[in-house]
Amino acid sequence: MRSMTGYGRGEVANDDVRVVVDVRTVNHKGLDIKVRLPRESAQHELQVIRLVQASVQRGRIDVSCEAEVRGAARAAIDVDGVTAFVGEVRRLAGQLGALPGITEGDVLRAALQLRRTAPVVDDSAALLLDAVAQALAAVEESRTREGAALHRVLGERLASIARLAVELATRARGAPPRAGDRLRA
């Protein structure tokens, strides 16, 4: 017996990227899969859904993924892009006859807008799918553990009901003659 409710986490990393996937399941009539991936991994959503479908037949399944770019692969400021942006603003201000006061805050906002995105790691799909597989395995363990606990509790309750049914049957055997005696009295 397995529970419909479960939770699992999978974590995979290499030198450039650390991927963490959380999977939560709850009872639901059909199979309802919700996947939240980082923008850089959006192209792998269908693969994640297929992996979940192969593992879970029914329920609402929420899959969420976080990817942390580490080391040299971390996003860097595009200095050339920021320099070009500031130069373009100054050129435009000159054309309009205005001299803008470009502050460090303006440069920071431009730098954040023009920040290089983290490079796509060649094995990012494999890392993501490995983390999803780990999380799904953990979900199955969780559901099996909870199912065993439910099985034990339900077994205890059924045994209690059976004892009460025997006790009621024993009491019921003498009930008609006692009821007759009370009516006659």
Side-chain angles (χ1 to χ4, degrees):
M1 175 179 202
R2 285 187 327 205
S3 171
M4 291 298 296
T5 303
Y7 170 79
R9 174 173 271 212
E11 185 173 331
V12 179
N14 66 14
D15 292 340
D16 298 326
V17 179
R18 178 176 158 258
V19 178
V20 178
V21 173
D22 291 314
V23 176
R24 288 177 173 77
T25 65
V26 294
N27 191 18
H28 189 69
K29 279 195 262 183
L31 182 60
D32 182 18
I33 302 169
K34 303 286 187 215
V35 178
R36 287 184 301 283
L37 298 175
R39 187 177 53 210
E40 298 82 22
S41 301
Q43 71 271 21
H44 305 303
E45 183 174 353
L46 187 57
Q47 292 172 290
V48 170
I49 289 172
R50 286 185 180 145
L51 195 57
V52 172
Q53 287 172 332
S55 178
V56 182
Q57 287 69 45
R58 184 170 91 77
R60 178 181 166 92
I61 294 86
D62 290 311
V63 179
S64 62
C65 171
E66 293 178 14
E68 174 190 336
V69 180
R70 308 190 293 187
R74 188 167 256 177
I77 292 177
D78 183 359
V79 176
D80 294 334
V82 173
T83 303
F85 177 77
V86 170
E88 191 63 25
V89 169
R90 285 191 173 139
R91 186 189 62 74
L92 182 60
Q95 281 181 347
L96 298 174
L99 189 59
I102 297 176
T103 66
E104 286 179 2
D106 297 329
V107 173
L108 177 61
R109 278 188 292 281
L112 291 174
Q113 291 294 320
L114 299 171
R115 182 175 47 185
R116 290 186 193 131
T117 58
V120 175
V121 180
D122 290 339
D123 57 353
S124 63
L127 291 173
L128 172 63
L129 296 177
D130 284 350
V132 170
Q134 282 182 13
L136 288 170
V139 162
E140 283 306 306
E141 288 176 24
S142 168
R143 290 171 67 173
T144 300
R145 253 190 333 273
E146 188 170 332
L150 286 170
H151 187 267
R152 188 185 79 256
V153 169
L154 288 174
E156 290 170 0
R157 297 227 172 130
L158 286 173
S160 176
I161 290 170
R163 280 191 307 273
L164 290 172
V166 168
E167 188 178 316
L168 284 173
T170 304
R171 284 184 180 180
R173 276 189 232 131
R178 282 193 307 266
D181 291 344
R182 274 195 313 260
L183 285 174
R184 278 189 286 280

